[in-house]
Amino acid sequence: MPVVSLMTDFGLKDGNVGVMKGVIWKFAPQAQISDLSHLIAPQNIAEAALILYRSAPYFPEFSIHVVIVDPGVGTARRPMAALIGNQYYVGPDNGAITLLLERAEQQGQETRFIHLNKPEYWLPDVSYVFHGRDIFAPVAGRLAAGTPLEALGTPFEDPVRLALPRPERTPSGWRGQVIHIDHFGNVASNIRSEHLGEMLRQKERITVRIAGTEIHGLVNTFGERAPGELVALMGSTGNLLACVVNGNAQARLGVQVGDVFEAVYA
Amino acid sequence: MPVVSLMTDFGLKDGNVGVMKGVIWKFAPQAQISDLSHLIAPQNIAEAALILYRSAPYFPEFSIHVVIVDPGVGTARRPMAALIGNQYYVGPDNGAITLLLERAEQQGQETRFIHLNKPEYWLPDVSYVFHGRDIFAPVAGRLAAGTPLEALGTPFEDPVRLALPRPERTPSGWRGQVIHIDHFGNVASNIRSEHLGEMLRQKERITVRIAGTEIHGLVNTFGERAPGELVALMGSTGNLLACVVNGNAQARLGVQVGDVFEAVYA
Amino acid sequence: MPVVSLMTDFGLKDGNVGVMKGVIWKFAPQAQISDLSHLIAPQNIAEAALILYRSAPYFPEFSIHVVIVDPGVGTARRPMAALIGNQYYVGPDNGAITLLLERAEQQGQETRFIHLNKPEYWLPDVSYVFHGRDIFAPVAGRLAAGTPLEALGTPFEDPVRLALPRPERTPSGWRGQVIHIDHFGNVASNIRSEHLGEMLRQKERITVRIAGTEIHGLVNTFGERAPGELVALMGSTGNLLACVVNGNAQARLGVQVGDVFEAVYA
């Protein structure tokens, strides 16, 4: 059965996500639909890009990821469907695929981008303000029902990419940024296992500096320290995190997305 | 596959929505179930009526919409199933169908109302306080599995209708009310495209008055103005809205549901 | 079709629940998946135990309940799958099954516990911090796809049980605790219909004492009293509740989980 994931900044109270499912099932009655998140901060494409990047590899082959974080709805921004490795993306061409695409390119995977410009595949009436319902849900439903990607529009080569902050090499390690804070208050940086590389062989020699605090040594898991202790560790998708065991590191440290997050090697 | 939507004021933390799905799948293992909203304000039937009205037309034919906003649970209020046009409703007879029903009548669509009074179609034990689980989920499951509507109870003709606020004609336009404020802070009125009619041919001549502010001219879409600007436009389901481009109009204007919202034609 | 329920303390914004569904569908493409709650208070296993206990009986036979409230992730706590009566549990062996198991034992139902120690049934790479995705979702998917419980690991006999507060007999009734406060502010105690027994024949003779207030007599349903009145009644899963009709008892009484909740018989 085809699998669709939905990610939006629509919130959960207004019925708009449920309506998109109704539309998808009109075209693909058997589609399995997973909500990734509908609590993306309004218009925060970078947050959507990060969650898509972390999540897509765990879905079945040729799952269809619909991402509607769309400050440009109703303007000339391109509606897009894409194949990135073995996963489909459907949504505005606004950079939400940036991280997914970079990894696919590094791994030599196939990528194809289609400008959705064939209204015969959309709902008959397209509003100015809800393309998630009127364009993207029908297109996702068509893909799920077997319509070939190429049929849905015109190929293009230059999808929008976000200029995301990158960690920089320092004499003794890496200087990055806080890029996500999760429901538990765990603080994720953009410093990844690929950056730390050899340094990860001796985790006890890595010190994390954040918000004027130092965390000496990386643990493998929360259970190595007592509840309430501040720890640093590699998260489940390869990013360096600062956490409080069974507690809230954001509240402890008072940090927010964009703050400096450093790893130094002693 | 049969499609069911669920809308309640149950919130998301207590497991009650998930339980209703378990019950539905006992009777209809293949049902696709979409959550419309579980964050309806407690006991706010009018809000549920609005979201149902906007959402139902986008679902496949003969979808089953279960709406449990039920301040009268356990009292003599009728449990109901209905066919309204090509969509089913299951829930208390408390007016949640008001807007859906009016439109169906205007369009000359079929409507049928059944008083759910046959306990053999419910769970064996019916609590006093959770008819969503004990009566309505089983009935939705039965409908999804093919039980005819008429088998579930006794026909009746006079479903409860809410006395909803209507916009009034003024010498120069319409005086309506704020009826919904969405996750983004967009402010929706009950002034609809049907009311404005010919006025919509020259959108630049319409002025919206709300909270002591005037918005001159309607735009088609957010992208026509700069981020942060206050705009008025027709929403994706035909209601006149006041919005801030990539911002929050409720916060800007300090309005709430019930406040006056006027459109005047110059 | 196999049914899976998910309960976690992951919240709804980070994509982690959606990823677990993607993993489950890799192994069991037809599984129906119901979210029970993802707003369990962080690390609050007792709350998960209560919701699981109330919810599982309403699911189809052999549904698979995945509960990931896991302060011990990455430590030596056992990953577990279990059959309890006619329902499966998958998650850490941390006591989340306590109430479900007690009832099954009282009713003489079958119980079997399997230590998940066969990595060939998991994802190839297991992180230290997200066993929900890497171990439990694949195991749930395997069970849903028909893998026998016993194949997944080694049987054991002594699952962890929580030491949950029990109500105590008093000369004139029962002294219990507040164990849950729902979305509406209804206050649930651990005093159950089994405790009250004969006392329930004359509900007007029961007085509830909570937060320095007395509520005389139990009603059957909210509709017996006017909106705004404080009432006591038996909830839909057999617990004694204090509620405000169409209002919020928690806000009125200022109580929290753990506070004393008494029933006395006059």
Side-chain angles (χ1 to χ4, degrees), chain C residues 248-266:
Chain C
N248 188 309
Q250 179 184 31
R252 174 82 61 87
L253 297 169
V255 292
Q256 51 188 335
V257 169
D259 285 359
V260 173
F261 190 118
E262 277 187 290
V264 299
Y265 195 69

Side-chain angles (χ1 to χ4, degrees), chain B residues 9-15 18-19 21-23 25-26 29-31 43 71 73-75 123 127-130 133, chain C residues 1 3 32-37 51 54-55 57-60 180-184 220-223 233 236-237 246:
Chain B
D9 57 359
F10 294 172
L12 296 165
K13 75 182 189 65
D14 301 317
V19 162
K21 294 180 188 174
V23 172
W25 287 328
K26 273 191 181 173
Q30 299 201 319
Q43 291 96 39
V73 63
T75 67
L123 292 192
S127 69
Y128 288 103
V129 293
F130 193 179
R133 179 192 68 195
Chain C
M1 295 188 171
V3 170
Q32 297 276 32
I33 306 180
S34 168
D35 296 299
L36 267 184
S37 176
I51 291 178
R54 299 193 316 194
S55 305
Y58 292 95
F59 277 77
H180 188 69
I181 296 171
D182 76 11
H183 175 74
F184 295 99
N220 282 320
T221 184
F222 299 112
L233 76 172
S236 71
T237 50
N246 295 357

